[in-house]
Amino acid sequence: MAVERTLSIIKPDATKRNLTGKINQKFEDNGLRIVAQKRIQLTEDQAKKFYAVHAERPFYKDLVSFMISGPVVVQVLEGDDAVAQNRKIMGATNPAEADEGTIRAEFAENIEANSVHGSDSAENAAIEVSFFFSENEIVG
C-alpha cells in the first residue's frame, strides 16, 4: 500500500453540531493521521472555485450556499491508501445508503448536509489539498 494524502472537509452541518472531534476520532481510529487542519469560513468565491467541477449540475448553487452557511474544518489526512480509506470511513454520499458505523450513517442529516467531503482520487486530492494548504502547513 502507498502512503497518500487526501483532503477532508468537515461541513457546516457537522461543525454547527460540534462533531469535529467525533469525526476526527473516526479518521484516527481507522489509521489516518491528521497532518494539517484549520477551521475557516469559506467565501462564496472560494466555494464556487472549489466546486467548479459541478457548476453545470442542478445542485451547484445550493451546494455553494450550504458550504458558506457556517464554518468548515479543512484538513489533510495521511495514511496507507488514504483516498480510498477516507471514502470508506465517510460512507455513501446519501446517508440512507451509508454503511453502519460510517461518518455519514452516524452524523449526516441528509444527502446535502452529509457532514464531510473527501477527495475522490489521488489526482484530485493533490489539487484539493493545494487549494487550501501550502506545503509548509502540512506537517507529517
Side-chain angles (χ1 to χ4, degrees):
M1 284 190 249
V3 173
E4 294 177 331
R5 288 181 176 162
T6 190
L7 184 80
S8 169
I9 302 176
I10 301 177
K11 295 181 177 182
D13 63 296
T15 62
K16 286 177 186 172
R17 292 179 290 140
N18 204 28
L19 296 173
T20 302
K22 290 179 181 178
I23 290 170
N24 283 340
Q25 189 68 52
K26 289 210 175 265
F27 296 138
E28 292 177 334
D29 286 349
N30 285 282
L32 296 176
R33 294 179 54 230
I34 301 165
V35 295
Q37 181 182 73
K38 53 188 166 185
R39 184 180 181 97
I40 62 172
Q41 176 67 54
L42 287 173
T43 66
E44 184 174 358
D45 186 53
Q46 285 174 312
K48 283 181 176 179
K49 285 179 183 172
F50 186 77
Y51 288 106
V53 67
H54 299 302
E56 301 303 317
R57 314 266 309 259
F59 60 82
Y60 176 71
K61 185 178 177 184
D62 288 340
L63 175 61
V64 169
S65 294
F66 170 65
M67 291 302 292
I68 66 173
S69 69
V72 298
V73 175
V74 292
Q75 51 196 9
V76 180
L77 306 177
E78 183 178 81
D80 290 334
D81 293 321
V83 173
Q85 181 67 358
N86 183 37
R87 296 190 70 75
K88 181 180 175 185
I89 296 163
M90 289 189 307
T93 302
N94 183 347
E97 299 169 1
D99 290 339
E100 186 177 326
T102 62
I103 291 169
R104 290 177 173 149
E106 288 190 29
F107 304 122
E109 296 178 319
N110 56 55
I111 195 166
E112 181 183 79
N114 63 12
S115 299
V116 285
H117 163 90
S119 304
D120 62 2
S121 69
E123 296 76 24
N124 282 341
I127 294 165
E128 291 181 353
V129 165
S130 68
F131 186 90
F132 290 107
F133 295 94
S134 63
E135 195 59 39
N136 69 344
E137 293 178 295
I138 303 170
V139 182

